[in-house]
Amino acid sequence: MVSAPSSAPRPDSALVFPQDFLWGSATASYQIEGAAAEDGRTPSIWDTFSRTPGRVRNGDTGDIATDHYHRWREDVALMAELGLGAYRFSLAWTRIQPTGRGPAVQRGLDFYRQLVDELLEKGIQPVATLYHWDLPQELEDAGGWPERSTAERFAEYAALAADALGDRVKTWTTLNEPWCSAFLGYGSGVHAPGRTDPVAALRAAHHLNLGHGLAVEALRGALPSDARCSVTLNIHHVRALTGSDADADAVRRIDALANRVFTGPMLQGAYPEDLLKDTAALTDWSFVRDGDLARINQPLDFLGVNYYTPTVVSAADGTGTHTADGHGNSPYSPWPGADDVAFHQPPGERTAMGWAIDASGLYDLLHRLAADFPGTPMVITENGAAFDDYADPDGRVNDPARIAYVRDHLAAVHRAIGDGVDVRGYFLWSLLDNFEWSHGYSKRFGAVYVDYPTGRRIPKASARWYAEVARTGVLPGA
């Protein structure tokens, strides 16, 4: 049996959040912008990947996506209507620096300048993420994240973005979910660029870490002293299938590959010794140079935490596979050096992604992070769920399952805050239905329904519900 989760019951009465708690929603550039070849933008690895037959469901691409590039005023108006205090978005690297090198393209920067100005005019705090998986294809052609030069190019890009937007944007995130970039992009190949080399995945993880550290240095050098710098990690909450010592060791191994490969260097200045030992048959980690760890270990103003579902593992016994980890189907594993670990579907209700719904995992995760990294504030930078939403004949979209999911997870956050865990905000994923990576347009995470043929936006019932929570800071009972 899976080890019992901590209790995180649904609230039966209203819960009041701290007055300064930040309420927002989030998106990513490739998932919403479209305008794939406009105003100087060149292909990213996701343009190439999505246009490769068989890579994305139904052959979908982000060429148009939700057409946010042309409809951004309408989308900001929606945010204002929903009373969001903040909007977390990502910059498209190839829109700003098409080749990943050289000077910025002002037309690309102008798009983000206009977007940020509109947000500020509506009283919405802009939160900019530098990298949400869309590496310039030219840099991938030169070796991509497994190569050190990509980290150096990333720092140059960070400086360009900060110079252009730093007078308007006060909160910056370097990377979004570098685990996905490294291990799904270069290990299992289910994400762009679609490579399947476990050593390349580990090299990519290090150079993403280094890119983060160099980017924070660049941001600090270009931004006002009151600016905030962060990183967003999809920390896996890993549970054992049974209470056996072998399953406990499986948890340790996956925790090292999923979490500590990033939190170790970024927050503690060292790679975990057990990670190096577990992967020694693959690499000697000689790509880590003297001084790298000090540059990666930059002071952060907060840690961004993305959470959707827990992960259940055991020692391999023939009853589970790596494809049960919820990260897509591939004959290649995203877990280098962990072929003797099996993944299992957690029990309970599931979202349209097949992910178990378990808010106790978020509560437990927040407590673990608070214990491991005392004094580090946290923000939930993504949390949400995909369901099979549709517009009824009257043009309404009712999504009670999403309301229940978000309510339960917010209750877990509230409970953690009550225990003294320093959580300062929550960003609902996502503002809009959008291009869901290798799933194409088949999965809907948005609080706002998008009719893709027309681009029409329809706020779902969950959007109205979340707007009231954001406006009042009060989570209603079940």
Side-chain angles (χ1 to χ4, degrees):
M1 297 291 290
V2 177
S3 55
S6 298
S7 174
R10 284 190 177 186
D12 54 13
S13 60
L15 303 176
V16 181
F17 278 76
Q19 189 171 2
D20 59 352
F21 193 80
L22 185 63
W23 298 95
S25 189
T27 64
S29 54
Y30 189 73
Q31 293 182 274
I32 67 167
E33 283 183 4
E38 289 189 37
D39 292 337
R41 184 188 181 278
T42 57
S44 73
I45 54 174
W46 267 99
D47 293 277
T48 302
F49 187 82
S50 65
R51 294 169 190 166
T52 303
R55 291 295 200 178
V56 175
R57 185 175 298 182
N58 300 322
D60 292 339
T61 74
D63 287 359
I64 299 174
T66 70
D67 200 27
H68 174 72
Y69 191 76
H70 299 113
R71 305 181 70 144
W72 58 270
R73 284 189 178 86
E74 176 184 356
D75 291 339
V76 174
L78 265 175
M79 297 177 217
E81 180 184 337
L82 296 175
L84 297 184
Y87 173 52
R88 177 176 174 254
F89 61 97
S90 74
L91 308 176
W93 192 342
T94 61
R95 206 177 285 290
I96 292 172
Q97 199 182 31
T99 66
R101 301 177 178 85
V105 172
Q106 292 305 311
R107 289 171 295 174
L109 287 173
D110 285 344
F111 168 70
Y112 295 111
R113 289 186 180 108
Q114 292 171 352
L115 172 64
V116 168
D117 286 348
E118 189 78 3
L119 290 168
L120 293 172
E121 184 177 318
K122 295 290 194 296
I124 301 168
Q125 180 184 145
V127 178
T129 298
L130 287 168
Y131 186 74
H132 199 131
W133 307 352
D134 44 358
L135 183 72
Q137 183 61 45
E138 286 202 24
L139 292 186
E140 174 59 26
D141 293 342
W145 283 111
E147 298 302 319
R148 186 180 192 87
S149 60
T150 303
E152 296 166 345
R153 300 291 82 73
F154 182 61
E156 294 167 3
Y157 155 63
L160 291 175
D163 284 341
L165 300 170
D167 61 334
R168 300 166 171 86
V169 179
K170 301 303 182 185
T171 304
W172 292 79
T173 298
T174 54
L175 305 172
N176 179 82
E177 298 188 353
W179 184 87
C180 295
S181 297
F183 296 104
L184 300 184
Y186 294 93
S188 67
V190 299
H191 278 194
R195 290 161 62 179
T196 53
D197 179 345
V199 177
L202 292 168
R203 289 176 60 93
H206 175 64
H207 293 128
L208 282 154
N209 281 328
L210 180 61
H212 157 76
L214 297 176
V216 173
E217 288 183 348
L219 291 172
R220 297 286 190 202
L223 295 173
S225 59
D226 61 345
R228 295 173 293 275
C229 293
S230 67
V231 68
T232 282
L233 304 178
N234 56 318
I235 306 288
H236 292 60
H237 179 61
V238 189
R239 290 173 173 158
L241 184 68
T242 75
S244 71
D245 289 345
D247 285 4
D249 191 61
V251 169
R252 178 198 62 75
R253 293 169 73 91
I254 297 306
D255 181 59
L257 283 166
N259 302 327
R260 290 182 285 122
V261 66
F262 299 108
T263 59
M266 289 182 181
L267 301 178
Q268 297 173 317
Y271 282 106
E273 288 297 325
D274 61 326
L275 170 69
L276 304 183
K277 182 178 178 180
D278 290 344
T279 56
L282 294 170
T283 177
D284 61 4
W285 289 77
S286 58
F287 45 81
V288 181
R289 298 184 185 175
D290 290 345
D292 282 2
L293 291 167
R295 301 198 79 175
I296 294 168
N297 183 211
Q298 298 291 325
L300 298 177
D301 296 290
F302 66 89
L303 174 65
V305 178
N306 291 359
Y307 173 86
Y308 292 93
T309 189
T311 300
V312 176
V313 301
S314 72
D317 60 2
T319 64
T321 68
H322 76 264
T323 57
D325 67 0
H327 294 298
N329 295 321
S330 169
Y332 301 93
S333 172
W335 305 102
D339 293 339
D340 55 350
V341 174
F343 292 78
H344 303 267
Q345 289 280 9
E349 297 178 72
R350 304 188 187 286
T351 69
M353 295 289 288
W355 298 345
I357 301 172
D358 187 346
S360 71
L362 178 56
Y363 174 81
D364 292 344
L365 177 61
L366 292 173
H367 264 277
R368 179 257 176 101
L369 292 170
D372 288 352
F373 311 110
T376 303
M378 289 175 278
V379 172
I380 308 303
T381 39
E382 285 184 27
N383 176 243
F387 293 103
D388 295 324
D389 305 317
Y390 61 92
D392 68 19
D394 295 323
R396 294 172 299 194
V397 181
N398 293 309
D399 55 341
R402 182 172 290 103
I403 293 173
Y405 177 100
V406 176
R407 181 178 55 229
D408 288 356
H409 285 76
L410 282 172
V413 173
H414 185 274
R415 183 179 173 213
I417 293 172
D419 295 341
V421 178
D422 189 0
V423 185
R424 300 187 179 183
Y426 177 94
F427 287 78
L428 178 66
W429 185 269
S430 174
L431 176 68
L432 303 165
D433 289 337
N434 54 48
F435 177 85
E436 184 49 39
W437 309 114
S438 58
H439 297 279
Y441 296 99
S442 68
K443 306 299 181 186
R444 294 181 177 271
F445 274 89
V448 176
Y449 182 91
V450 177
D451 178 63
Y452 293 116
T454 65
R456 182 186 176 198
R457 277 83 160 129
I458 305 172
K460 302 174 188 178
S462 62
R464 305 298 184 192
W465 176 88
Y466 184 65
E468 183 65 11
V469 175
R471 184 184 68 81
T472 62
V474 176
L475 182 67

